[in-house]
Amino acid sequence: MNILDGKKVSNDIKNEIAEIVTKMKAKGEKVPHLAAVLVGENGASLTYVNSKVKSCERIGFDSTLVKLDADITEEKLLAEIEKLNTNDAIDGFIVQLPLPKHIDEQKILLAVNPDKDVDGFHPTNFGKMALDMPSFIPATPFGIIELLERYKVETSGKHCVVIGRSHIVGRPMSILMSRKGFPGDATVTLTHSRTQNLEAITKEADIVISALGVPNFLKANMVKEGAVIIDVGITRVTDSEAPRGYRIVGDVDYNEVAPKSSYITPVPGGVGPMTIAMLLKNTLLARSRHNQA
Ligand code: NAD
C-alpha cells in the first residue's frame, strides 16, 4: 500500500509556484492576483477561503477577500462580480460555494468572466475541458489528476469507478479520466445515488474515486485487492475529544480499505490540500494568459 501524499505534493507545487513568482518579481512583472468572494459566515466556507488567502500570501501572490453579508441581493452580488470581471488587477477569482438559498448559484457562476474563472465552473471552461481544449480545470479534479501523474499511477485501460456526479467533482472527474493521454485513457463508470448494486460495480474497479460525502461509506468488501483509492469526501464529525470539537472524516473506511489498496489518499492530507494548490496553479495560468492577451 502506498500513500498518495497530497500534503507533500501540494507543498511541492506551492514551492514551485513560489519560485516562479520570485522570478516574476525580480523581472518587475506583475504577480498573480486571486480574489475570493465570500457571502455570509458559513464556518466551513470561511475556513476554506481563509486558507486560500493564506496560501496566496505564502507563495507571493496578491489576494483580495470580498466579504459580503448573507442577505445581499442577487443583483448586488452580480454587480460585485462585474467589478471583479473588469478589474485589470485581478487575474482570477472564485465565488465560494454554497451561496445562500435566495441566490441562484448558476446565474452567479455564469456571470464570472471565463478568462478569470479559476474554479473552472463556467460552462465555457467546462465545455472546453470536455473537448480537450486548454481551459481552467476545476481544482479538486485537477488535484487528483496531478496526484496520479506525480505518483505515475497507471490509468490507461483501467476501470475507473467514480462515486458521485456533482458538477464540481464527480462529473468533471469522469470526463478527465476518460480523456486521451495520461492520466486518463481509463474506462469510466460514473455512479450516483440512483445507481443499483453499487458494490458489484466498485468491486470491479481498478480505481475508485469517491466523492459523495458519507463518512466511511466505502468498505473493504466493496473494493478489490490492489485497487487505487481516491477519497474526496470531507465530512465534519462531532468529536468532543478533538481540539475543535469535530474531526474530518472521508468517504473511505481507511483502516479497512488501505491494506487492500495499491495506492490510497488519506483524509485529511490527501485530496484536500491538492485543491488549494491547483487553484493557485490556475491563477498562475490566468496571469500568464492575461500577459499574452
Ligand atoms: P454533492 O454533495 O454535491 O453530491 C453528492 C453526490 O453523491 C451526488 O451526485 C449523489 O448522487 C451521490 N450519492 C449520494 N449518495 C450516494 C450513494 N449512496 N451511492 C452513490 N452515490 C451517492 O458532492 P460534492 O460537492 O462533490 O461533495 C462530495 C464530498 O466531497 C463531500 O464530502 C465534500 O465535502 C467533498 N469535497 C471535497 C473537496 C476537496 O477538496 N477534497 C472538494 C469538493 C468536495
Side-chain angles (χ1 to χ4, degrees):
M1 185 264 289
N2 299 288
I3 288 180
L4 296 170
D5 188 345
K7 201 169 170 193
K8 180 196 171 291
V9 173
S10 66
N11 274 327
D12 291 348
I13 294 170
K14 284 182 197 167
N15 289 338
E16 288 160 19
I17 299 176
E19 244 176 69
I20 296 172
V21 174
T22 305
K23 284 183 189 148
M24 285 173 130
K25 278 187 181 158
K27 283 194 250 165
E29 288 175 13
K30 178 190 173 310
V31 299
H33 188 159
L34 175 72
V37 179
L38 178 66
V39 183
E41 292 281 339
N42 176 315
S45 294
L46 196 63
T47 310
Y48 290 143
V49 166
N50 280 337
S51 55
K52 286 168 188 172
V53 170
K54 242 194 235 155
S55 297
C56 282
E57 284 166 8
R58 195 195 123 183
I59 61 166
F61 281 10
D62 287 334
S63 65
T64 299
L65 176 56
V66 182
K67 262 179 144 183
L68 302 166
D69 291 338
D71 61 358
I72 189 171
T73 62
E74 197 173 272
E75 203 185 351
K76 282 200 177 139
L77 179 55
L78 285 169
E80 290 292 337
I81 287 176
E82 195 45 31
K83 271 196 229 164
L84 294 170
N85 280 341
T86 52
N87 182 346
D88 282 342
I90 308 277
D91 294 296
F93 67 97
I94 57 152
V95 181
Q96 185 65 44
L97 302 178
L99 290 170
K101 293 256 177 314
H102 68 280
I103 291 172
D104 181 346
E105 222 161 75
Q106 257 183 352
K107 203 167 169 184
I108 300 302
L109 296 180
L110 270 171
V112 175
N113 176 350
D115 292 337
K116 295 191 176 187
D117 171 39
V118 285
D119 255 342
F121 293 162
H122 192 282
T124 297
N125 285 315
F126 208 92
K128 283 183 173 176
M129 175 186 70
L131 294 168
D132 295 337
M133 294 162 74
S135 68
F136 294 114
I137 294 172
T140 303
F142 196 9
I144 294 169
I145 291 293
E146 187 83 14
L147 266 182
L148 294 171
E149 192 176 343
R150 293 206 181 206
Y151 279 90
K152 299 187 173 62
V153 176
E154 181 62 83
T155 56
S156 177
K158 302 293 179 192
H159 183 199
C160 173
V161 173
V162 180
I163 311 176
R165 58 180 160 189
S166 75
H167 294 167
I168 61 168
V169 188
R171 185 75 52 79
M173 207 58 239
S174 70
I175 294 169
L176 291 167
M177 292 304 287
S178 70
R179 294 205 309 188
K180 267 192 181 168
F182 173 71
D185 281 331
T187 305
V188 179
T189 304
L190 179 58
T191 67
H192 46 78
S193 53
R194 299 294 178 99
T195 297
Q196 292 182 9
N197 207 358
L198 180 70
E199 188 182 319
I201 301 169
T202 53
K203 257 187 188 160
E204 294 293 315
D206 302 305
I207 303 167
V208 179
I209 301 175
S210 184
L212 77 161
V214 178
N216 297 322
F217 176 85
L218 196 78
K219 302 285 183 191
N221 63 356
M222 296 170 75
V223 300
K224 78 173 177 193
E225 201 69 46
V228 176
I229 309 290
I230 308 288
D231 188 353
V232 187
I234 295 181
T235 307
R236 286 184 177 194
V237 174
T238 309
D239 181 350
S240 54
E241 280 170 26
R244 291 182 186 160
Y246 66 85
R247 66 200 154 83
I248 300 293
V249 181
D251 288 352
V252 177
D253 191 328
Y254 188 87
N255 291 336
E256 270 193 17
V257 174
K260 267 185 111 172
S261 67
S262 55
Y263 290 92
I264 188 164
T265 59
V267 175
V271 176
M274 290 300 293
T275 299
I276 294 189
M278 301 320 277
L279 174 69
L280 300 172
K281 202 162 177 174
N282 273 343
T283 307
L284 180 67
L285 197 64
R287 173 86 287 268
S288 63
R289 286 189 188 150
H290 294 158
N291 249 350
Q292 287 157 14

